[in-house]
Amino acid sequence: MEKETGRIEGFSDGVFAIAITLLVLDLHVPEKDTIKNGSDLLIFLKNQWPVFMAFILSFFSIFIMWVNHHKIFKQIYSRNSAITFANGLILFLVSAVSYPTSLLAQYFDGEASSVVVAIYTGIFVLINLSYNLLWYLASKNKELLRPGITDQAIRKIHNNYLYGLPIYVIALLFSFWIPTVSLIFILGLWIFWAVSSGKIEMHLKVVKKDLI
């Protein structure tokens, strides 16, 4: 069976690359006439910690989303209109991450912190839903998937994306009371996605080997 998703994957890689590059626009060098010595520069950098935090959080979040996008399309061999538009929804939301990142960078250490963290975590809830939608649309017709993929493997991938949803929702709820805890949940999800996606890939390799 010939893979038909090459153009979708190539276009998606370009969008992910642009989205992750846009994040660096929030990193600013101080005006030369405002810095008299090394102490002034260190004070400036210290005061920029919300900007660095937002950049790091969003960079690795988009990177892990790209890794999972790559893994999911290793299992999708054919496409239809529903898959194309579901993937478009993912790209739309990923390209929008830079805006809540900017809000987080500017307002996290102020009185609006709960609002900006809610907006920030909210977009990741939507992204998680869009990944679940993509896999649901692809997996409900097994003919669209990699030849030989088992029902167990399909369920594992489905559960992998589904398990992340309540964590994102909890992070969103915490943002209204303890914004810092909300961001810690986001950080914890990096580890979750990295570990779980690695386990799934190992499982799929074992299954594929058994089928040969």
Side-chain angles (χ1 to χ4, degrees), residues 135 139 142 145 149-163 200 203-204:
W135 184 244
S139 62
K142 204 171 180 180
L145 302 180
I149 189 170
T150 64
D151 292 336
Q152 182 183 7
I154 292 173
R155 286 194 299 272
K156 275 184 173 290
I157 296 173
H158 172 74
N159 290 336
N160 181 53
Y161 291 113
L162 193 61
Y163 290 159
I200 286 177
H203 172 79
L204 292 173

Side-chain angles (χ1 to χ4, degrees), residues 19-30 44 47-56 58-59 96-107 120:
I20 210 167
T21 302
L22 288 175
L23 299 176
V24 79
L25 297 179
D26 282 325
L27 302 180
H28 300 293
V29 175
F44 174 85
N47 292 335
Q48 290 289 298
W49 71 265
V51 178
F52 299 134
M53 177 197 67
F55 172 75
I56 293 170
S58 293
F59 181 94
V97 167
S98 61
Y99 181 69
T101 300
S102 295
L103 291 177
L104 186 69
Q106 292 188 40
Y107 299 107
Y120 186 77

